[in-house]
Amino acid sequence: MLGIPTKSKHTKGHNMNEKTLDFIEPETSVKVLKVTGQKSSRKRILDMGLTPGTRVDVIRRAPLGDPVEFKLKGYNLSLRKREAETVLVEVLK
Amino acid sequence: MTEKITVALAGNPNVGKTSIFNAITGSKQHVGNWPGVTVERKIGKRVYNDVMMEIVDLPGTYSLTAYSLDEIIARDFIIEEKPDVVVQVIDATNLERNLYLTTQLMELGVRLVIALNMTDLALAKGDNIDEKKMQEFLEVPVVSTIGSKGNGIEGLLEAAIDELHKTRVTENVFTYDDQIEENVEKLRAVLESDPYFAHYPSRWFSLKLLEGDENIIKKAKESNSYSEIQKIMNQTDAEILEAKVADQRYKTIQTMLRQVCNINTSHLSGSDMVDRVVTNKVLGIPIFLSLMWAAFEVTFTFGTPFMNIIDIFFGWLAETATNVISVPWLASLVGEGMIAGVGSVIIFLPNILLLFFMISLMEDSGYMSRAAFIMDKVMSKFGLHGKSFIPLVMGFGCNVPAIMAARTIEDSRDRLITILVAPFISCGARLPVYILLAGAFFGRDAGVVIFGLYALGIMVAVLSAKLMRSTILKGEDTPFIMELPSYKLPTLKGSLIHMWERGKIYLKKAGTIILIGVVGVWLLASIPAPGSNGTFASEEVYGTTKSVIGMIGQVLEPLVAPLGFDWKIAVALVFGVVAKEIVVGSMGVLYGVGEDEESLSNILAAGAMTPLAALGLMVFTLLYVPCFACIGVIKRETGSWKWTLFQLIYGTSLAWGFAFVIYQGGTRMGLLA
Ligand SMILES: Nc1nc2c(ncn2[C@@H]2O[C@H](COP(=O)(O)OP(=O)(O)OP(=O)(O)O)[C@@H](O)[C@H]2O)c(=O)[nH]1
């Protein structure tokens, strides 16, 4: 639904590898499936290149555990866990 | 006759836009604000081939949605002011994401020229970019540049002028899926039949409407065709559409990239290697703290000798002026009022210049975003952004540059809160007050008391931030989505320009209001109180009961009496607004011991005030109205008297409340008796 935050803690589903981005351990690569969340942050996350199908490498967590650093499209991006939670991904083997 | 054109400079943050802007305009630039907001606006001039170009630096943005104030400013400038040419600066080492903005500029139908910047770094990385092919694919001129060295600038200007003289602007269009296209066409038909929209590119406007862009919908609401527009808009799901649009743009970019360049993605970049250490789990925080410490040392330790020289110079100047001018009141106005006033402004300049030099090194090298990355967890607990940490830490030296440092925070609400709470961080100028009072009343425990004051300042700052975040500045939390740009070697020239820009702003804008304040206080201290038969600005009147300020002190006395302060303290606190360390000096004068601090502390300890009142006075000095220089920059940086006043009232109320509880509560409980 438009504008309504949809918190999806997707761990089940048909695909066992389907998770939200905040659950992914560093040094793992994933593929973006969908961006949910509130309108403004969703739009920005898409603009930054986390469009469905994009490959994202999880690099590291900040020393205090949050935010998390990712690499995608050849550049580095950091999101708080709260934002990462809105990105549904599939772990790449 | 020379032709006059406007060129807008657009681009993502950190792509070298400022370097290109400086290379084009040299020293001919003017820094101001965008109308109504405090986002910085830089305009420069350059004459090239008989064409007079006005270069407008747009805020750095990743996209042209209405996500942030910066994006709205950049976009509104392009669609409303219609610059003749838009130059987009692109980071060649980061093409894919940079070109996303390009696709949006192209959809806007502007005359576009691309400055392919950082080509030296792309080459070093092993990327191979075919500009010619890129130009063919995009149908937009592409010129390679190296912003930091000023290479390629003339070619860029030439391309901009050529573009202007082309008769046809290529209608650059991306096609989306059939359903979107169908709705776009329907909307276009409506828009094109309504003259209200003639000003806007119709295809772009239609797409934005379908994406549910609030800013654009607002514009559309003012037209007569809005109900019709709404009907079409309701047929699409904005959420699905925006994902599709973003996806399609990136797909187009990928298709192009496969044809025009060969990007080396295999190896670990130098930047990644640095980050392994700098943002390391164990080393990250110690490295960050050491760098903070270094920045602090450079700013305040290196600054001190310069400050002393300035102090001595203005002291000498004031004395000379007083001696030379034979009319006593004029001598006092010039010496004690104006020269001392100008001195109190200029004395901060070394700190400001050094701090901004350090900050610009951190920003230009790319470390600033790592610092925010490391500190964000802590700051987010108080509703702040990781980037708020640096301004707050700098506040321990001086609140003035700290408030100015809040410019590095992009989100306007985060920036405002940081500015409003920064004055609670105990700056160096409050220390003389603590040393005097804590020394006089707490002897061996003075160190603990002073430490406690610093801790109180931090607590008040962060808790106030939290409070403001959950009350007056409430709203959806700003999402934290931050790029960590690759490290670059900053250039000395770039950092110096940056430093001087800040210094100039401080001198010009803050200077005026500080001067007015200082001269105002001088007048109050010099004008004899009605009824007293003193002479204007005579020594016998200046700052005593016989002056207006003395009268004000006596009027204020009932207000501060519950805190255990007498009228002399009230006057000292009024003087303290000029600069906090003056509290000590003026207490000396008022208690009749001159500048001799030892006899002042003897008098105080002998019973002029109680230890509880002294503790209250230190807390009051920490929290009440900041100095004029601070007030000046708060006004300048928030762009609003309302927020400036809010800070003054909020701080003073807190100061009064704390001092009241300490004095009254302590007395009742028989503490420190
Ligand atoms: N090697 C190299 N460095 C560059 C080039 N252009 C700019 N830089 C450096 O990149 C850093 C950032 O440049 P700026 O000009 O401040 O970039 P900006 O886009 O204005 O950045 P923001 O003001 O943060 O948006 C500086 O350290 C520059 O010296 C270039 O072509 N090659």
Side-chain angles (χ1 to χ4, degrees):
Chain A
M1 277 293 290
L2 201 135
I4 292 170
T6 40
K7 278 205 176 165
S8 47
K9 288 264 185 193
H10 261 271
T11 36
K12 50 180 196 289
H14 330 286
N15 192 334
M16 284 303 288
N17 288 329
E18 208 169 283
K19 288 183 177 150
T20 54
L21 193 50
D22 57 316
F23 273 103
I24 310 295
E25 288 300 316
E27 300 182 21
T28 313
S29 300
V30 298
K31 192 175 88 181
V32 177
L33 296 174
K34 189 174 186 251
V35 182
T36 60
Q38 292 189 347
K39 187 176 163 71
S40 69
S41 72
R42 187 181 66 225
K43 189 88 184 68
R44 166 53 56 110
I45 290 173
L46 285 170
D47 281 348
M48 295 304 275
L50 286 141
T51 49
T54 307
R55 179 200 159 112
V56 177
D57 300 329
V58 183
I59 307 288
R60 64 171 64 81
R61 302 208 169 102
L64 299 173
D66 196 20
V68 187
E69 179 181 354
F70 306 97
K71 196 173 190 97
L72 68 148
K73 300 194 186 296
Y75 81 99
N76 298 50
L77 180 73
S78 65
L79 302 176
R80 278 192 194 145
K81 283 191 177 155
R82 224 187 36 197
E83 276 78 42
E85 198 181 87
T86 65
V87 184
L88 192 62
V89 297
E90 175 189 87
V91 176
L92 293 175
K93 279 281 122 58
Chain B
M1 263 294 291
T2 49
E3 196 177 356
K4 261 178 110 170
I5 65 168
T6 309
V7 178
L9 211 56
N12 287 184
N14 302 305
V15 295
K17 216 154 62 65
T18 308
S19 307
I20 299 269
F21 180 81
N22 288 340
I24 296 177
T25 61
S27 58
K28 285 200 198 72
Q29 42 178 282
H30 171 79
V31 185
N33 279 348
W34 291 89
V37 292
T38 49
V39 177
E40 192 169 278
R41 169 190 176 123
K42 276 196 285 194
I43 295 182
K45 289 203 161 57
R46 169 75 184 258
V47 179
Y48 187 80
N49 280 355
D50 262 3
V51 181
M52 163 81 170
M53 292 187 237
E54 186 173 75
I55 321 282
V56 181
D57 191 21
L58 300 177
T61 61
Y62 292 106
S63 163
L64 292 177
T65 45
Y67 171 80
S68 67
L69 187 58
D70 283 356
E71 294 190 353
I72 296 175
I73 290 171
R75 191 172 85 177
D76 276 353
F77 184 80
I78 295 173
I79 57 178
E80 304 288 354
E81 311 286 321
K82 300 201 181 300
D84 298 297
V85 184
V86 176
V87 172
Q88 188 198 347
V89 183
I90 284 187
D91 176 355
T93 64
N94 193 350
L95 277 180
E96 193 169 343
R97 209 213 45 232
N98 274 262
L99 287 167
Y100 188 75
L101 180 64
T102 317
T103 60
Q104 296 185 318
L105 289 169
M106 285 163 64
E107 278 183 342
L108 270 173
V110 295
R111 292 175 191 266
L112 185 66
V113 174
I114 288 175
L116 190 64
N117 196 36
M118 313 251 180
T119 40
D120 53 334
L121 296 179
L123 207 65
K125 196 173 136 230
D127 293 353
N128 201 338
I129 305 167
D130 187 337
E131 291 157 42
K132 285 256 160 52
K133 271 199 190 147
M134 191 162 157
Q135 185 158 326
E136 275 164 31
F137 194 99
L138 294 172
E139 299 178 39
V140 164
V142 177
V143 182
S144 24
T145 58
I146 302 176
S148 47
K149 292 194 193 125
N151 294 7
I153 299 301
E154 311 228 312
L156 187 63
L157 297 179
E158 222 141 275
I161 294 170
D162 280 355
E163 186 60 22
L164 191 71
H165 293 151
K166 271 188 203 152
T167 40
R168 185 186 64 105
V169 181
T170 27
E171 186 76 30
N172 298 297
V173 174
F174 299 85
T175 25
Y176 300 102
D177 74 19
D178 294 347
Q179 201 199 342
I180 299 177
E181 289 300 330
E182 196 182 308
N183 285 319
V184 165
E185 283 316 310
K186 277 194 224 158
L187 272 179
R188 267 184 95 162
V190 178
L191 298 184
E192 280 167 10
S193 64
D194 183 341
Y196 173 82
F197 295 105
H199 188 62
Y200 303 111
S202 63
R203 181 180 165 81
W204 179 83
F205 205 93
S206 311
L207 264 170
K208 285 289 150 191
L209 284 171
L210 292 175
E211 280 180 40
D213 185 306
E214 277 146 36
N215 199 260
I216 293 296
I217 292 178
K218 214 167 84 197
K219 290 188 210 276
K221 274 192 180 143
E222 283 164 28
S223 77
N224 300 326
S225 347
Y226 187 62
S227 56
E228 226 175 311
I229 292 172
Q230 215 172 8
K231 251 183 258 151
I232 306 171
M233 275 166 58
N234 287 341
Q235 292 166 9
T236 30
D237 179 338
E239 185 174 342
I240 296 178
L241 183 126
E242 80 198 0
K244 275 189 189 161
V245 168
D247 189 46
Q248 185 58 46
R249 287 186 185 140
Y250 272 113
K251 286 223 172 80
T252 313
I253 293 166
Q254 279 158 359
T255 314
M256 181 190 92
L257 287 181
R258 272 194 293 272
Q259 296 174 32
V260 307
C261 65
N262 204 335
I263 289 174
N264 183 355
T265 48
S266 59
H267 66 94
L268 202 62
S269 71
S271 203
D272 290 335
M273 276 178 327
V274 175
D275 262 345
R276 282 206 170 167
V277 180
V278 167
T279 56
N280 181 281
K281 221 184 191 109
V282 183
L283 296 175
I285 293 177
I287 291 178
F288 168 73
L289 292 176
S290 329
L291 286 173
M292 279 300 104
W293 178 81
F296 193 86
E297 277 295 294
V298 167
T299 304
F300 297 105
T301 314
F302 284 20
T304 309
F306 295 103
M307 292 176 83
N308 289 339
I309 294 172
I310 294 173
D311 197 28
I312 292 168
F313 173 74
F314 278 95
W316 169 82
L317 201 64
E319 209 182 292
T320 318
T322 321
N323 290 340
V324 168
I325 302 171
S326 53
V327 189
W329 71 264
L330 191 63
S332 173
L333 171 65
V334 174
E336 272 147 55
M338 287 159 75
I339 296 181
V342 174
S344 78
V345 176
I346 296 192
I347 196 135
F348 293 122
L349 198 59
N351 284 164
I352 288 175
L353 294 179
L354 285 167
L355 177 63
F356 277 97
F357 184 72
M358 299 304 286
I359 286 187
S360 111
L361 287 185
M362 282 195 272
E363 280 205 306
D364 290 355
S365 65
Y367 184 74
M368 193 60 109
S369 31
R370 270 74 183 183
F373 179 68
I374 290 169
M375 285 317 291
D376 185 66
K377 177 85 185 274
V378 179
M379 301 315 283
S380 68
K381 288 230 162 16
F382 304 104
L384 292 170
H385 190 277
K387 286 193 179 171
S388 303
F389 189 81
I390 288 168
L392 293 182
V393 167
M394 290 305 148
F396 287 118
C398 173
N399 297 161
V400 173
I403 292 166
M404 294 180 79
R407 285 193 167 229
T408 53
I409 305 165
E410 285 95 12
D411 180 68
S412 57
R413 210 165 15 154
D414 286 343
R415 185 165 54 216
L416 181 59
I417 293 181
T418 308
I419 292 171
L420 294 177
V421 305
F424 297 131
I425 300 291
S426 194
C427 68
R430 281 132 160 158
L431 196 56
V433 184
Y434 304 158
I435 290 175
L436 173 85
L437 292 170
F441 290 94
F442 298 97
R444 279 194 320 178
D445 297 328
V448 180
V449 170
I450 294 178
F451 180 81
L453 287 161
Y454 277 89
L456 179 70
I458 300 170
M459 266 171 44
V460 170
V462 296
L463 293 178
S464 300
K466 181 92 188 150
L467 184 71
M468 290 177 198
R469 234 329 175 200
S470 46
T471 55
I472 46 171
L473 288 164
K474 199 160 53 182
E476 204 179 303
D477 262 8
T478 342
F480 182 92
I481 302 168
M482 183 182 70
E483 183 185 3
L484 296 168
S486 60
Y487 288 103
K488 276 167 212 95
L489 210 57
T491 61
L492 184 64
K493 192 172 140 217
S495 296
L496 288 177
I497 291 181
H498 203 84
M499 166 182 122
W500 179 234
E501 254 169 29
R502 289 284 87 76
K504 228 168 46 186
I505 288 178
Y506 171 70
L507 283 182
K508 268 210 304 232
K509 299 282 176 166
T512 45
I513 139 163
I514 297 163
L515 254 188
I516 293 171
V518 170
V519 172
V521 169
W522 178 86
L523 277 173
L524 293 181
S526 307
I527 299 173
S532 86
N533 44 12
T535 0
F536 177 65
S538 65
E539 218 157 283
E540 149 208 35
V541 165
Y542 191 78
T544 68
T545 30
K546 290 188 175 167
S547 67
V548 172
I549 211 167
M551 202 180 71
I552 293 174
Q554 278 161 321
V555 171
L556 289 179
E557 189 163 23
L559 282 180
V560 294
L563 316 180
F565 304 165
D566 60 11
W567 73 269
K568 293 177 188 165
I569 308 269
V571 169
L573 288 171
V574 174
F575 273 116
V577 177
V578 173
K580 294 231 165 162
E581 63 265 42
I582 296 181
V583 170
V584 173
S586 44
M587 273 167 65
V589 174
L590 292 163
Y591 282 100
V593 292
E595 305 266 309
D596 180 4
E597 282 181 18
E598 208 172 304
S599 27
L600 177 59
S601 55
N602 287 340
I603 288 192
L604 292 176
M609 70 195 310
T610 70
L612 281 171
L615 189 61
L617 179 55
M618 287 187 271
V619 171
F620 199 94
T621 307
L622 168 66
L623 301 176
Y624 86 118
V625 180
C627 65
F628 274 128
C630 249
I631 300 173
V633 291
I634 295 175
K635 162 66 179 63
R636 151 85 209 174
E637 298 297 301
T638 59
S640 137
W641 277 115
K642 199 186 85 195
W643 284 115
T644 313
L645 266 176
F646 169 80
Q647 206 293 327
L648 306 187
I649 293 169
Y650 176 76
T652 310
S653 315
L654 275 184
W656 197 91
F658 271 97
F660 182 82
V661 169
I662 290 171
Y663 184 70
Q664 295 294 343
T667 314
R668 301 265 150 86
M669 291 193 291
L671 295 178
L672 296 174

